[in-house]
C-alpha cells in the first residue's frame, strides 16, 4: 500500500519539516515554506529515488579503473577545454544561463557531432520547434531522437526503448514526478526529479545533461542541493545583444574548475573563438583617457581585457557609482584607496567603470587596471596603449603580488604589447620577453607616476 506524507519545504534554502512554520529556522525568511505530498511505494525499488546508486563490495583504489580514458569529445574545441577533454559516461552535467543565451543551440551542436543514440527531451518546446532550430545548424544523422515530455515515468520508458548513450533534459524545472503533488519547478520536484535522472545516469553509464533556469541574480533556480548532486556545473554568460558567449565551469569532478570557453554567436550556431584576447581587444580606442588593458587568468588561460573608466564632476550630494563587469564593492574600495592614498578628489565626481565586451573580471589582479583607468580619466591623460597593467591593491595603497605573472606578460607580448606594469614583488626571477619593458610598482602612487611618465 502506498504511503503518503505531507512535508513543508523552504523555497529559499530547501529546509524540510513535517509542519508549517512562519519563519525558516535555517535561512530566517518568513512565509517561505511550500507544502507538498509525497507518495512512496515501499515495495517498488525502481520508484525509490533515494536508493543507492550501486551496491557492491569495497575495492582498493589501485584496483579501480579510472574514467579518464572513457571520455568522449563534444568536438567543440572550447567546450572540450572547459570539460577537460570531453564528457564522461554516466556523468550528470548541469547547464545554466539566461533565456536566449544559446543553451539549446550548443546542446544541439553536441548532439550533431556524435554517432551514438541520443535522446533529447524537451519540456518547453515541441519536436517541430527543435527541428526548426536544427535546420540552421546543418545536417543531423538518424541517431538523434526528440521527445516532448515532462513525466519522468514516460521518459524512463523511452530510455529503456532507445538505450541512449547521451540524455539531454531541457529543462529540469519542467519535469514532474508522478508521486509528488507539488507543481513542476518547485523545490521538491526539482530535487526529486534530479535525483531520479542521477540514478538513471549512474546505473546505465548514460551521460546526462540537464538545463537549469536561472534567477534574476544569475544563480540556478531551485534548491542549492541541485548543484551539489551533479558532477559538473556549467554557466553560460554574456549579453544576448552582444556577439560572444562564455561557458564557465564552476564545478567539475572530472577536471579543472574555473576554465572558460569563448564562443561567438553566428548564423550556423556557436563558433569557438581560438584567440579570445585578440577578439576582446578588437575595436578598442587608442590613447583615450580612461582606457587600460589588463590580463585576467580564467582557469589556466590568460585573457586580455579592456577596463574603461569615466570620472565626471557632479553637483549631486551623493555621486553615482556605476560598475559593469567588476565587483561593485571592490571598485568602491579602490575609489576610497585612490582618494585617501593618492589624494584624488573623487568624492565630488561620478565614476563609471566598465569592462568592454561584457567580460566579467573577478580576480584581484585586475585592481591596478581599474585604478589606472580611474586616475587617467580623472587627470584626463591617456595611458600608453601598448602597456599592460595588472596587480592587486591593498587598503594601505600597497601593490601586492599575483600569480602567473610570466604567462600574463607572454600573452601580452604575443599581441604586440611593449611594456607591462606589475607588482614590485613579482620582478624577482621574471624573464622579460624580447622587446617588452617590465616595470614594478610598490604602491598606487608609484603606479600613477609610472603610467604618466
Amino acid at each position: 500500500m502506498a504511503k503518503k506524507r505531507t512535508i513543508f519545504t523552504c523555497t529559499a534554502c530547501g529546509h524540510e519539516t513535517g509542519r508549517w512554520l512562519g519563519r525558516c529556522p535555517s535561512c530566517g525568511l518568513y512565509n517561505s515554506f511550500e507544502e507538498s505530498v509525497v507518495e512512496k511505494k515501499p515495495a517498488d525499488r525502481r520508484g525509490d529515488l533515494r536508493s543507492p546508486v550501486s551496491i557492491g563490495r569495497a575495492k582498493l583504489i589501485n584496483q579501480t579503473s579510472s574514467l579518464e580514458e572513457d571520455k568522449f569529445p563534444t568536438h567543440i574545441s572550447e567546450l572540450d577545454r572547459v570539460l577537460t577533454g570531453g564528457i564522461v559516461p554516466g556523468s550528470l552535467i548541469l547547464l545554466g544561463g539566461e533565456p536566449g543565451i544559446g543553451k539549446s543551440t550548443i546542446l544541439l551542436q553536441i548532439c550533431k557531432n556524435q554517432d551514438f543514440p541520443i535522446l533529447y527531451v524537451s519540456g518547453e518546446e515541441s519536436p517541430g520547434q527543435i527541428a526548426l532550430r536544427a535546420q540552421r545548424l546543418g545536417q543531423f544523422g538518424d541517431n538523434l531522437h526528440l521527445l516532448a515530455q515532462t513525466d519522468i515515468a514516460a521518459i524512463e520508458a523511452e530510455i529503456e526503448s532507445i538505450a541512449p548513450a547521451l540524455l539531454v533534459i531541457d529543462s529540469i524545472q519542467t519535469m514532474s514526478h508522478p508521486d509528488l503533488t507539488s507543481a513542476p519547478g518547485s523545490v521538491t520536484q526539482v530535487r526529486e526529479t534530479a535525483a531520479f535522472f542521477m540514478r538513471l545516469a549512474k546505473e546505465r553509464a548514460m551521460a546526462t545533461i540537464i538545463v537549469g533556469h536561472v534567477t534574476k541574480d544569475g544563480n540556478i533556480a531551485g534548491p542549492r542541493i541541485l548543484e551539489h548532486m551533479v558532477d559538473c556545473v556549467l554557466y553560460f554568460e554574456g549579453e544576448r545583444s552582444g556577439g560572444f558567449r562564455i561557458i564557465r565551469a564552476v564545478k567539475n569532478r572530472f577536471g579543472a574548475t574555473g576554465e572558460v570557453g569563448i564562443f561567438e554567436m553566428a548564423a550556423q550556431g556557436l563558433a569557438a573563438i581560438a584567440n579570445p584576447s585578440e577578439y576582446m581587444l578588437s575595436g578598442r580606442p587608442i590613447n583615450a583617457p580612461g582606457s587600460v588593458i589588463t590580463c585576467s587568468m580564467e582557469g589556466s588561460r590568460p585573457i586580455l581585457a579592456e577596463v574603461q573608466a569615466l570620472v565626471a564632476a557632479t553637483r549631486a550630494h551623493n555621486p553615482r557609482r556605476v560598475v559593469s563587469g567588476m565587483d561593485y564593492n571592490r571598485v568602491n574600495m579602490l575609489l576610497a584607496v585612490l582618494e585617501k592614498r593618492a589624494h584624488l578628489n573623487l568624492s565630488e565626481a561620478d565614476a563609471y567603470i566598465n569592462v568592454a565586451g561584457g567580460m566579467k573580471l573577478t580576480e584581484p589582479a585586475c585592481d591596478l587596471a581599474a585604478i589606472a583607468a580611474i586616475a587617467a580619466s580623472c587627470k584626463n591623460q591617456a595611458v600608453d596603449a601598448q602597456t599592460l597593467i595588472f596587480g592587486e591593491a591593498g587598503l594601505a595603497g600597497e601593490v601586492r603580488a599575483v600569480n602567473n605573472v610570466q604567462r600574463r606578460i607572454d600573452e601580452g607580448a604575443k599581441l604586440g604589447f611593449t611594456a607591462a606594469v606589475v607588482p614590485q614583488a613579482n620582478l624577482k626571477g621574471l624573464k622579460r620577453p624580447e622587446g617588452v619593458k617590465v616595470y614594478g610598482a610598490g604602491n598606487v602612487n608609484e603606479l600613477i607616476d609610472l603610467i604618466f611618465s
Side-chain angles (χ1 to χ4, degrees):
M1 182 178 179
K3 295 182 179 180
K4 294 183 179 181
R5 63 187 182 97
T6 301
I7 61 173
F8 296 86
T9 308
C10 176
T11 57
C13 66
H15 180 80
E16 289 185 354
T17 180
R19 60 189 181 91
W20 187 86
L21 298 176
R23 181 184 183 187
C24 177
S26 296
C27 64
L29 289 181
Y30 289 90
N31 298 322
S32 60
F33 278 91
E34 177 186 84
E35 180 182 359
S36 60
V37 179
V38 180
E39 180 179 358
K40 295 181 65 177
K41 300 177 181 179
D44 186 4
R45 294 298 296 173
R46 291 176 57 188
D48 187 359
L49 301 183
R50 290 183 173 83
S51 60
V53 173
S54 62
I55 300 175
R57 300 292 300 274
K59 298 180 180 180
L60 291 173
I61 190 170
N62 294 331
Q63 299 177 355
T64 304
S65 59
S66 172
L67 295 174
E68 182 68 27
E69 59 186 19
D70 296 330
K71 289 183 178 180
F72 61 87
T74 64
H75 302 290
I76 304 174
S77 59
E78 289 295 296
L79 184 57
D80 285 336
R81 176 190 182 92
V82 175
L83 294 173
T84 320
I87 300 175
V88 176
S91 63
L92 187 63
I93 301 174
L94 175 62
L95 176 63
E98 294 183 359
I101 200 72
K103 300 186 297 297
S104 300
T105 300
I106 199 166
L107 289 176
L108 283 176
Q109 289 181 244
I110 295 173
C111 297
K112 177 187 174 183
N113 296 330
Q114 310 303 331
D115 56 1
F116 45 70
I118 302 172
L119 177 60
Y120 191 112
V121 181
S122 175
E124 302 170 349
E125 298 177 296
S126 66
Q129 289 176 295
I130 301 173
L132 182 64
R133 182 187 299 112
Q135 287 180 0
R136 65 184 177 92
L137 299 179
Q139 186 67 31
F140 281 73
D142 297 332
N143 60 319
L144 178 58
H145 304 265
L146 303 180
L147 174 65
Q149 183 60 259
T150 59
D151 191 321
I152 63 173
I155 296 172
E156 185 179 18
E158 287 295 323
I159 291 174
E160 292 180 353
S161 174
I162 299 172
L166 174 63
L167 172 67
V168 178
I169 303 295
D170 187 8
S171 63
I172 192 63
Q173 277 80 11
T174 61
M175 298 295 111
S176 63
H177 194 290
D179 293 342
L180 304 178
T181 59
S182 55
S186 63
V187 172
T188 306
Q189 285 280 10
V190 171
R191 183 182 64 242
E192 299 299 326
T193 53
F196 174 82
F197 289 119
M198 180 182 69
R199 179 178 64 83
L200 285 182
K202 304 302 180 184
E203 289 180 350
R204 297 174 174 269
M206 173 182 63
T208 303
I209 304 176
I210 59 178
V211 176
H213 294 170
V214 296
T215 62
K216 61 180 181 180
D217 297 327
N219 298 318
I220 294 179
R224 194 68 176 180
I225 192 176
L226 180 61
E227 298 183 41
H228 290 282
M229 292 168 57
V230 299
D231 299 310
C232 183
V233 180
L234 305 178
Y235 272 95
F236 234 129
E237 301 174 358
E239 300 292 336
R240 283 180 292 176
S241 58
F244 76 94
R245 307 286 191 270
I246 297 175
I247 293 184
R248 186 186 306 272
V250 298
K251 174 186 177 181
N252 190 358
R253 289 174 177 164
F254 305 108
T257 58
E259 293 289 349
V260 297
I262 314 294
F263 299 87
E264 182 181 11
M265 181 59 77
Q268 290 76 30
L270 290 165
I273 298 177
N275 193 338
S277 295
E278 185 177 5
Y279 181 87
M280 297 291 180
L281 300 183
S282 60
R284 68 184 177 103
I286 303 300
N287 296 326
S291 175
V292 173
I293 305 302
T294 188
C295 185
S296 173
M297 293 298 300
E298 300 293 339
S300 60
R301 166 189 283 179
I303 297 180
L304 270 60
E306 180 190 2
V307 180
Q308 298 177 333
L310 176 63
V311 178
T314 181
R315 296 181 180 179
H317 182 68
N318 294 320
R320 296 195 66 187
R321 302 288 187 258
V322 180
V323 182
S324 176
M326 297 185 73
D327 182 69
Y328 177 82
N329 294 323
R330 189 160 191 89
V331 171
N332 276 332
M333 182 197 77
L334 298 178
L335 291 170
V337 169
L338 276 173
E339 182 151 6
K340 182 71 174 180
R341 308 301 178 187
H343 309 293
L344 295 181
N345 186 15
L346 299 173
S347 60
E348 298 179 358
D350 294 335
Y352 304 86
I353 290 84
N354 174 55
V355 179
M359 187 77 178
K360 293 183 180 179
L361 304 180
T362 57
E363 66 167 345
C366 301
D367 288 351
L368 292 195
I371 288 176
I374 295 169
S377 180
C378 186
K379 294 177 177 290
N380 199 30
Q381 297 183 34
V383 178
D384 180 33
Q386 301 304 317
T387 299
L388 188 66
I389 301 175
F390 57 86
E392 179 183 354
L395 291 178
E398 80 279 11
V399 176
R400 309 181 74 89
V402 297
N403 59 1
N404 294 305
V405 174
Q406 191 69 58
R407 297 191 63 183
R408 298 174 199 259
I409 294 178
D410 292 343
E411 180 70 13
K414 291 178 183 177
L415 296 179
F417 284 81
T418 58
V421 179
V422 304
Q424 185 75 36
N426 286 125
L427 289 179
K428 185 177 180 180
L430 188 65
K431 296 180 180 179
R432 293 163 174 79
E434 184 178 355
V436 178
K437 297 180 180 180
V438 181
Y439 304 94
N443 54 60
V444 294
N445 289 303
E446 293 181 9
L447 169 68
I448 294 175
D449 292 339
L450 281 170
I451 63 177
F452 295 135
S453 62

